[in-house]
Amino acid sequence: MNTESTNHEETQRPAEPAVRPRESAMLVLQRGAESGRVWPLDRTRPISIGRNEDCDIVLPDRQVSRHHARISWDGERFLVEDLGSKNGTHVNGQEAAEPIALRDGDEVQIALRFKLAFVDAGATAPLSLEGGDEGLRLDKETRQVWVNNTQIDPPLSLHQFRLLEALWDAGGSVITRDQVIEAVWPEASSEGVSEQAIDALVRRLRERVAETDEEFRYIITVRGHGFRLENR
């Protein structure tokens, strides 16, 4: 009788938690073409981040320097260090002019283009961290565009995508009307494209993006200067 009671208690044992503490720290890509990708961090050697293929974390974008940043273990914590990159490394909005210690949930931003969430060892936060699906991202090879993790369909026209790509490559900086012409109509001279044609293209691109996210204004007109991309 005792044996039956014991067996019954074993079958009623509560299930183990669905999310277990992690054995190693990691970075989770929150913004970029491969949003959600995970890279474990190694305490025995530094982890390099950059555009070059020999980096541990390769972020193939012209705004990212070839060897952009490095994450290393100092015996007590992970530190992120900028490697003299052109467009900078930030942690929670703070420029990493000197090595910064990472804490669970910190956001590492590479060149204002990629956002990586730091998940510390033992943390139980889910990998799909809040905000990971927000914003606009694009794939240059396939000319696909996503807004808040929803693909724009039907795809953008060639001219619309060229304009968006130029804004994307500017990394939040303003591009002039002449630069728009060079990027969208490379075969035309500046005199051959009217301001009305540029404004109409910008307006149509805004409309296409707004079909997926009408609450946020991604393409900003800077009067007297040009246009820039504001991402979530």
Side-chain angles (χ1 to χ4, degrees):
M1 183 174 181
N2 290 339
T3 301
E4 292 178 357
S5 175
T6 301
N7 291 340
H8 177 71
E9 290 175 359
E10 290 180 352
T11 59
Q12 298 299 314
R13 186 178 298 167
E16 294 183 2
V19 180
R20 298 182 180 181
R22 297 183 176 82
E23 296 179 357
S24 63
M26 59 185 62
L27 290 176
V28 183
L29 184 62
Q30 292 187 282
R31 179 184 293 174
E34 297 181 311
S35 181
R37 184 173 177 181
V38 175
W39 290 275
L41 299 179
D42 193 338
R43 294 188 179 186
T44 63
R45 66 179 184 85
I47 301 296
S48 57
I49 304 173
R51 190 175 80 246
N52 215 49
E53 291 293 333
D54 64 0
C55 292
D56 298 292
I57 299 177
V58 180
L59 302 176
D61 190 285
R62 284 184 290 177
Q63 294 298 315
V64 179
S65 296
R66 293 183 181 277
H67 298 93
H68 196 103
R70 177 170 55 216
I71 294 180
S72 57
W73 177 255
D74 72 349
E76 297 182 357
R77 55 196 177 172
F78 281 102
L79 303 175
V80 61
E81 175 186 4
D82 186 79
L83 299 178
S85 67
K86 178 181 178 181
N87 293 308
T89 302
H90 295 75
V91 178
N92 301 329
Q94 175 187 350
E95 184 178 2
E98 298 181 354
I100 295 179
L102 293 174
R103 297 179 297 178
D104 183 53
D106 280 350
E107 181 182 85
V108 180
Q109 192 162 359
I110 304 294
L112 302 179
R113 174 74 78 239
F114 295 91
K115 289 185 178 181
L116 300 156
F118 175 72
V119 181
D120 203 357
T124 56
L127 292 181
S128 55
L129 298 174
E130 183 178 357
D133 293 335
E134 288 188 350
L136 183 148
R137 57 190 176 93
L138 56 84
D139 186 321
K140 296 183 180 182
E141 293 185 2
T142 62
R143 281 177 44 199
Q144 294 176 324
V145 179
W146 294 265
V147 179
N148 297 338
N149 215 34
T150 299
Q151 185 176 339
I152 292 181
D153 188 36
L156 299 179
S157 69
L158 176 59
H159 286 170
Q160 291 166 3
F161 187 85
R162 284 178 175 176
L163 172 58
L164 182 59
E165 183 179 19
L167 291 164
W168 177 273
D169 287 343
S173 300
V174 175
I175 64 172
T176 66
R177 289 177 176 270
D178 286 342
Q179 289 173 315
V180 169
I181 294 172
E182 291 176 5
V184 177
W185 297 280
E187 68 285 350
S189 64
S190 58
E191 293 81 9
V193 179
S194 67
E195 290 195 2
Q196 289 78 10
I198 296 173
D199 291 336
L201 180 62
V202 171
R203 182 172 61 252
R204 183 53 182 153
L205 179 57
R206 280 198 185 109
E207 292 172 350
R208 291 303 315 279
V209 174
E211 291 172 5
T212 306
D213 186 356
E214 60 182 12
E215 297 180 357
F216 189 84
R217 192 173 182 85
Y218 291 87
I219 302 169
I220 308 299
T221 298
V222 182
R223 293 189 180 278
H225 297 280
F227 311 92
R228 66 179 181 86
L229 181 67
E230 179 81 17
N231 213 340
R232 280 187 182 272

